[in-house]
């Protein structure tokens, strides 16, 4: 173990221990049992992972030390291990020993699900199959994919729906869902993505509404209303991504109304994991994760 990784893990453990010394007010909140469970998106630790301060195998243990019970992997942090049964077996053993639930795998870099050329769409589907297999092995319920495409609004809907249906047909054989996050481009348009869901019309397809990803065009600054977007995507949700960036002095997310967002989630009757995805830079990754967890727990007791 390198020095950076050892120091990172020690610091994380120390911070985790500090969170156990909660105030009476916070302890009182825990008395009300919430129907929601909290998971952690691995991207929340992307800086530490890219710096080799922790590894994908460390992720479940660090997650549990922070008092979080589910993990959401990002494929690029074990990109060459999708078919490595020994590695996946070790990862599965770690999560079992830690009492952590494997929730999903976020898949990037495997091609455009809605590629205009049929051969490329089929290639993308083939590229994702190994991640569906890995998710099934680990006991996850879903893989998250991107609905990238090219063409007009309507053309991209049809192309993305075609690629997703092919993926769902394979996912169905493994009992794995194929879910789409609002992740830039037209996928961040709630009307467009909900329309794609209707077109696919398969029990294995779904959405992963991300509270923060509603920028359609970064160059022009075009955005879709986040509250309307979450409302449109929640009927198809098989996961929820609680994105945070900046916190105010009260511990609330400074740029979005988290109470309103979780009320939309709650009104939809959602009962699954709510995944923390901290992307800010004003505080450390560990502190941002803990701050998001406290914010969610504060809201859960009001729902």
């Amino acid at each position: 173990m390198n020095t950076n990784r050892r120091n990172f893990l020690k610091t994380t453990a120390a911070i985790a221990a500090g969170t156990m010394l909660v105030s009476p007010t916070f302890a009182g909140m825990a008395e009300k049992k919430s129907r929601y469970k909290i998971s952690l998106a691995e991207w929340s630790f992307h800086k530490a992972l890219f710096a080799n301060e922790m590894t994908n195998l460390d992720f479940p243990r660090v997650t549990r030390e922070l008092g979080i019970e589910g993990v959401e992997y990002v494929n690029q942090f074990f990109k060459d291990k999708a078919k490595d049964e020994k590695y996946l077996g070790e990862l599965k053993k770690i999560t079992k020993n830690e009492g952590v639930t494997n929730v999903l795998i976020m898949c990037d870099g495997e091609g455009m699900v809605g590629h205009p050329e049929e051969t490329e769409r089929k290639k993308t589907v083939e590229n994702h199959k190994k991640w569906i297999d890995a998710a099934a092995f680990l006991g996850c319920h879903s893989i998250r994919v991107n609905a990238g495409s090219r063409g007009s609004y309507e053309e991209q809907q049809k192309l993305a729906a075609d690629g997703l249906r092919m993926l769902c047909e394979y996912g169905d054989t493994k009992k794995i869902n194929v879910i789409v996050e609002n992740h830039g481009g037209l996928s961040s348009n709630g009307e467009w993505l909900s329309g794609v869901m209707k077109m696919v019309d398969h029990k294995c397809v779904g959405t992963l509404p991300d509270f923060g990803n509603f920028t359609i065009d970064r160059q022009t600054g075009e955005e879709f209303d986040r509250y309307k977007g979450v409302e449109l995507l929640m009927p198809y949700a098989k996961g929820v991504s609680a994105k945070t960036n900046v916190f105010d002095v009260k511990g609330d997310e400074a740029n979005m109304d988290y109470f309103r967002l979780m009320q939309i989630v709650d009104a939809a009757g959602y009962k699954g994991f709510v995944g923390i995805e901290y992307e800010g830079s004003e505080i450390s990754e560990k502190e941002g994760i803990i701050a998001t967890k406290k914010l969610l727990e504060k809201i859960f007791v009001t729902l």
Side-chain angles (χ1 to χ4, degrees):
M1 184 184 296
N2 64 41
T3 302
N4 284 345
R5 183 177 167 209
R6 186 182 299 112
N7 290 340
F8 171 83
L9 296 174
K10 284 182 178 178
T11 303
T12 301
I15 290 178
T19 64
M20 303 305 171
L21 303 174
V22 295
S23 68
T25 301
F26 186 65
M29 290 179 179
E31 292 176 4
K32 180 181 177 181
K33 183 69 174 177
S34 172
R35 67 175 177 173
Y36 299 111
K37 294 181 180 180
I38 295 176
S39 52
L40 179 62
E42 192 169 18
W43 190 254
S44 300
F45 274 125
H46 70 276
K47 294 175 186 175
L49 285 154
F50 283 132
N52 294 318
E53 294 172 354
M54 68 181 288
T55 70
N56 187 63
L57 292 175
D58 293 322
F59 176 53
R61 180 169 58 80
V62 172
T63 297
R64 195 58 179 163
E65 286 174 349
L66 293 172
I68 298 170
E69 50 190 317
V71 287
E72 302 179 6
Y73 300 104
V74 174
N75 71 336
Q76 62 184 290
F77 296 122
F78 58 124
K79 190 77 171 180
D80 60 341
K81 305 296 186 182
K83 297 182 179 181
D84 188 332
E85 290 188 9
K86 183 178 178 181
Y87 179 90
L88 294 177
E90 183 179 359
L91 182 58
K92 188 174 182 177
K93 182 179 178 181
I94 291 169
T95 56
K96 182 179 180 180
N97 289 342
E98 295 295 334
V100 172
T101 299
N102 291 318
V103 180
L104 58 88
I105 302 175
M106 298 186 180
C107 301
D108 302 302
E110 296 291 0
M112 295 174 68
V113 169
H115 198 286
E117 296 180 19
E118 185 178 6
T119 55
E120 289 299 318
R121 278 201 309 285
K122 289 181 176 179
K123 182 179 177 181
T124 296
V125 170
E126 290 301 315
N127 289 344
H128 280 87
K129 284 183 178 180
K130 62 181 178 291
W131 293 111
I132 289 176
D133 293 342
F137 180 88
L138 291 170
C140 300
H141 66 64
S142 302
I143 64 164
R144 188 277 281 147
V145 304
N146 298 304
S149 186
R150 288 199 294 266
S152 70
Y153 183 102
E154 293 79 10
E155 287 171 341
Q156 290 191 52
Q157 275 190 320
K158 292 176 183 177
L159 291 165
D162 182 60
L164 286 168
R165 172 160 274 281
M166 286 190 284
L167 260 179
C168 285
E169 287 171 356
Y170 183 75
D172 197 16
T173 68
K174 303 288 183 174
K175 295 182 171 56
I176 295 295
N177 299 311
V178 178
I179 62 179
V180 184
E181 180 182 356
N182 44 304
H183 210 196
L186 281 174
S187 74
S188 288
N189 180 319
E191 297 279 5
W192 183 87
L193 187 51
S194 61
V196 170
M197 292 297 108
K198 293 173 185 175
M199 286 183 180
V200 179
D201 190 27
H202 193 288
K203 66 180 181 180
C204 289
V205 80
T207 58
L208 178 66
D210 184 306
F211 292 168
N213 284 351
F214 284 100
T215 300
I216 297 171
D217 189 324
R218 293 186 182 278
Q219 291 186 331
T220 65
E222 180 186 2
E223 292 189 355
F224 194 85
D225 180 85
R226 80 176 74 249
Y227 307 102
K228 181 181 179 182
V230 172
E231 189 170 0
L232 286 167
L233 299 181
M234 279 310 302
Y236 312 97
K238 297 183 186 295
V240 170
S241 184
K243 175 72 58 62
T244 53
N245 287 282
V246 182
F247 298 91
D248 62 22
V249 292
K250 295 180 180 179
D252 296 326
E253 222 291 337
N255 297 319
M256 58 188 93
D257 186 339
Y258 246 65
F259 283 91
R260 182 179 174 186
L261 288 165
M262 279 306 305
Q263 284 173 341
I264 294 170
V265 170
D266 198 61
Y270 179 75
K271 298 179 181 179
F273 277 93
V274 176
I276 292 170
E277 189 172 47
Y278 174 68
E279 276 193 339
S281 57
E282 292 191 357
I283 54 179
S284 72
E285 290 179 319
K286 299 178 293 294
E287 291 168 329
I289 291 164
I290 291 168
T292 309
K293 180 174 181 284
K294 288 182 177 179
L295 173 57
L296 287 172
E297 290 172 335
K298 180 172 70 174
I299 295 171
F300 287 171
V301 297
T302 70
L303 299 175

